[in-house]
Amino acid sequence: MSLPLELAFDDHALIARAATIPLPGVQPVPVMSFSPVILKGVPGRPLDLLLRVSVPAAGPPGPLPVILLSHGHGVSYNLSSLNGYAPLVQYWAARGFAVLQPTHLSSRALAVPDGTPGAPLFWRERVNDMTAILDRLDDVQAAVPFLVDRGGLDASRVAVVGHSLGAHTAAVLLGMRLKDPASDFTTDVDLRDTRIRAGILLAGIGDGNGGKDLSAFANDKCPFMRHSDYSTMAAPALVVAGADDISPHLTTRGADWHADPFRLSPAPKSLATIADAWHCLGGISGFDTKETRDDESPERIAAVQRLTTAYLRKVLCDDSKTWDTAAAAFSDAGLGTVEEK
């Protein structure tokens, strides 16, 4: 039995309306994955930096555009690591991208002791992980046996993608500034990495408004979120927010808080609001996961897969037409809305 014409071999059979979001000319291929790549001696890191590299097994010759993926801080024991986010990683790699996903020190898979400097969320160390990977792209390439045969990595075409806490990591790399809690909020932190061309923030972190818009828990455990200055995040970015992503553990506001990175940053920016979606946007960290709960939806996952792929093609492959077509189809299908500025 063959799949319906609109489904690729790696599409879930229950993606429903998301099947109408086209990616013209983008044909998926099998994926090769190598893990772990081990980067030793990363400054300020008590453990080696481990990452997974996933690439297309076939396709046009030449270096591959790079996606740096920063995981969130979910309640699962293993998915907030290099072992998570398969629905996105596999999809992107099958469509021409090299996906590099580290395990940050905040991962429950590492269980770094609370007394470690930067614990438990390691916001600065997470950013430094990504910078270290870019500093050592040649080492990453040399460590993966099949990567040179696939054309290697294109250091001139790099995007960063992050989910939840990972979206905060991505935002900092894209130019969002904050006040360092270690300096009693007197020091502005600017860790923008200009080697990163653009980014995607999935269920991102809104403005703390000096702590006024944060929950008591977030004020206590995440003081680095109190002063998020998105006015300096000038790099192109797609912000993906769940229409029903109400996060009382993080903010006193509603789901609109997660759209702040779009509303408070300068153009060019895009905002995709996924109808009915919660914080995991249908289950992007993995199918059948604990943190997704009642939000699990192959249709919503597929919408995120297709929209993000189209946007990555726009910013890394000079293919604006695919993004325009996908965004219009997403809205027409009633899956959500897209705003641009």
Side-chain angles (χ1 to χ4, degrees), residues 22-24 310-311 313-315 317-329:
L23 294 173
Y311 186 80
R313 288 192 57 81
K314 173 184 177 179
V315 296
C317 305
D318 299 321
D319 180 10
S320 295
K321 183 177 180 180
T322 293
W323 165 250
D324 293 340
T325 302

Side-chain angles (χ1 to χ4, degrees), residues 44-299:
R45 219 176 188 277
L47 300 172
D48 294 337
L49 177 57
L50 275 59
L51 59 147
R52 177 183 298 275
V53 177
S54 301
V55 300
L64 298 167
V66 176
I67 301 170
L68 298 176
L69 176 59
S70 181
H71 62 73
H73 189 65
V75 297
S76 292
Y77 285 106
N78 195 41
L79 290 180
S80 292
S81 73
L82 59 78
N83 294 315
Y85 294 85
L88 296 181
V89 173
Q90 293 288 112
Y91 199 87
W92 294 332
R95 287 155 181 81
F97 299 94
V99 186
L100 281 54
Q101 50 180 144
T103 297
H104 297 301
L105 292 172
S106 59
S107 174
R108 298 184 77 186
L110 299 179
V112 177
D114 284 345
T116 305
L121 297 180
F122 296 99
W123 71 266
R124 185 187 288 269
E125 289 77 8
R126 293 171 64 97
V127 175
N128 292 343
D129 286 348
M130 303 308 229
T131 300
I133 292 170
L134 290 179
D135 290 342
R136 298 174 63 175
L137 271 186
D138 288 345
D139 293 339
V140 173
Q141 184 168 288
V144 181
F146 47 75
L147 193 48
V148 173
D149 291 339
R150 283 295 300 114
L153 302 173
D154 190 343
S156 70
R157 293 191 291 163
V158 178
V160 63
V161 181
H163 174 231
S164 191
L165 182 58
H168 182 273
T169 303
V172 173
L173 288 161
L174 293 171
M176 185 267 284
R177 297 180 185 176
L178 56 89
K179 293 187 181 296
D180 190 353
S183 71
D184 198 25
F185 307 104
T186 60
T187 303
D188 289 326
V189 178
D190 179 6
L191 297 175
R192 166 80 169 107
D193 195 319
T194 56
R195 294 172 293 184
I196 298 173
R197 185 183 291 190
I200 299 176
L201 310 184
L202 302 166
I205 304 301
D207 180 18
N209 191 22
K212 296 177 184 177
D213 286 354
L214 297 183
S215 66
F217 173 85
N219 262 302
D220 180 41
K221 302 297 184 182
C222 314
F224 57 89
M225 295 181 184
R226 292 183 193 175
H227 304 275
S228 300
D229 184 2
Y230 284 103
S231 70
T232 57
M233 195 178 79
L238 167 64
V239 177
V240 181
D244 293 343
D245 184 6
I246 299 172
S247 306
H249 64 298
L250 292 176
T251 180
T252 56
R253 287 169 50 194
D256 67 298
W257 185 69
H258 297 283
D260 280 356
F262 170 79
R263 297 196 175 98
L264 301 178
S265 64
K269 297 291 185 298
S270 303
L271 170 65
T273 303
I274 312 294
D276 303 317
W278 298 6
H279 197 61
C280 287
L281 304 173
I284 58 172
S285 60
F287 285 103
D288 310 313
T289 62
K290 183 162 54 175
E291 59 254 44
T292 301
R293 301 190 304 277
D294 295 335
D295 185 33
E296 183 150 34
S297 166
E299 181 181 60

